[in-house]
Amino acid sequence: MNSLTEENYLKALYHLMNDEHEVSVNDLSKRLQIKMPSVNSMIKKFAEKNWVIYESYKPIRVTEAGRKEAALIVRKHRLTEMFLVEKMGFGWENVHEIAEQLEHIHSDAFFDKMDEILHHPKVDPHGEPIPDKDGVVVQPELKKLSQCKVDENVVFASVATSSDDFLSYLNKRNIQLGTEMKVISIESFDQSMLIEIDGKQEVFSKLVCEKLLVK
């Protein structure tokens, strides 16, 4: 049974991994807000468990076993977020902190039942993929709204960041997953976009367009 601290490290590795499954020790230290000596000590323990390959002055390489362990923590977190929204009526901006606590419950049966009640969702309330029971993650093919062209019709499918402030911003504009959008124009000066939603037009800054993932 993994400790709460180990699970937090695993989840951080999951979110920081690049395409080669590598993570810098410095980035891990910054994300967890833990000093480098403590991070190095924990990563050495992870290497003994075959979760990572660790060599001094080189990036941490997360093994297949480590990726699975990490994905299963993320699975519990994202299932919990979906349950809180779908079955308990929480707003998508209010579920992260609660899920942070519940993800450390050590009961597969608990989360399997949650998955069953939810009819096995593929994504969480923010559009992020939910790993399956084997830790397998199917990443949807999405792009940033900022990458779209004029006259392109797209559907809002996920957020690049699920910060409370950004989700509240979207709530005020009644923008939810599944919202259909059409790019009307793009401002050459600052790359802001004029977007049509439900027959109404709204200007989104480049910052907002970078955070909206569409298909």
Side-chain angles (χ1 to χ4, degrees):
M1 186 178 296
N2 302 327
S3 70
L4 185 151
T5 301
E6 287 175 330
E7 290 184 345
N8 285 336
Y9 268 84
L10 284 165
K11 192 171 62 170
L13 288 171
Y14 179 94
H15 290 300
L16 291 171
M17 276 189 300
N18 61 22
D19 292 339
E20 284 74 43
H21 310 302
E22 293 180 342
V23 178
S24 82
V25 178
N26 187 49
D27 286 346
L28 185 59
S29 174
K30 288 180 179 178
R31 185 178 183 96
L32 293 170
Q33 297 183 325
I34 296 174
K35 293 181 179 180
M36 293 283 282
S38 296
V39 172
N40 284 322
S41 178
M42 179 63 78
I43 292 304
K44 288 176 182 177
K45 292 180 181 179
F46 277 22
E48 293 172 0
K49 294 187 175 187
N50 193 36
W51 290 347
V52 301
I53 296 171
Y54 175 67
E55 298 179 68
S56 298
Y57 308 110
K58 290 185 179 181
I60 304 161
R61 181 179 292 273
V62 187
T63 66
E64 183 176 351
R67 296 196 298 274
K68 179 178 179 179
E69 288 289 333
L72 291 177
I73 304 301
V74 172
R75 168 181 169 79
K76 293 192 291 183
H77 182 97
R78 293 180 177 172
L79 275 175
T80 299
E81 289 191 329
M82 184 58 95
F83 190 86
L84 290 168
V85 169
E86 292 293 320
K87 299 301 180 182
M88 300 188 71
F90 282 85
W92 64 343
E93 75 280 12
N94 296 320
V95 296
H96 179 73
E97 293 301 323
I98 302 172
E100 285 280 298
Q101 299 172 56
L102 294 180
E103 70 187 26
H104 298 294
I105 293 174
H106 293 126
S107 170
D108 291 339
F110 178 84
F111 291 100
D112 288 346
K113 178 57 70 174
M114 188 182 287
D115 191 24
E116 180 184 330
I117 291 171
L118 291 168
H119 305 293
H120 311 292
K122 300 300 182 184
V123 297
D124 73 4
H126 311 114
E128 295 179 295
I130 298 174
D132 67 16
K133 291 175 63 174
D134 297 316
V136 176
V137 185
V138 179
Q139 293 288 353
E141 293 187 12
L142 305 176
K143 62 181 178 180
K144 298 175 181 178
L145 181 60
S146 58
Q147 296 174 309
C148 296
K149 299 178 181 179
V150 173
D151 291 332
E152 194 168 349
N153 292 287
V154 295
V155 177
F156 172 40
S158 185
V159 289
T161 175
S162 55
S163 68
D164 293 352
D165 288 346
F166 183 55
L167 297 179
S168 295
Y169 170 91
L170 297 179
N171 285 344
K172 291 176 183 177
R173 289 153 181 79
N174 197 30
I175 298 171
Q176 305 168 345
L177 297 186
T179 296
E180 297 179 358
M181 303 177 174
K182 181 178 181 178
V183 181
I184 302 301
S185 64
I186 302 173
E187 175 57 55
S188 59
F189 174 69
D190 63 359
Q191 287 76 57
S192 60
M193 290 181 151
L194 180 62
I195 304 295
E196 182 176 288
I197 301 173
D198 293 331
K200 298 179 181 179
Q201 295 184 354
E202 181 155 0
V203 176
F204 288 154
S205 68
K206 181 181 180 182
L207 177 63
V208 169
C209 295
E210 289 282 323
K211 295 178 183 296
L212 295 173
L213 304 180
V214 299
K215 59 183 179 180

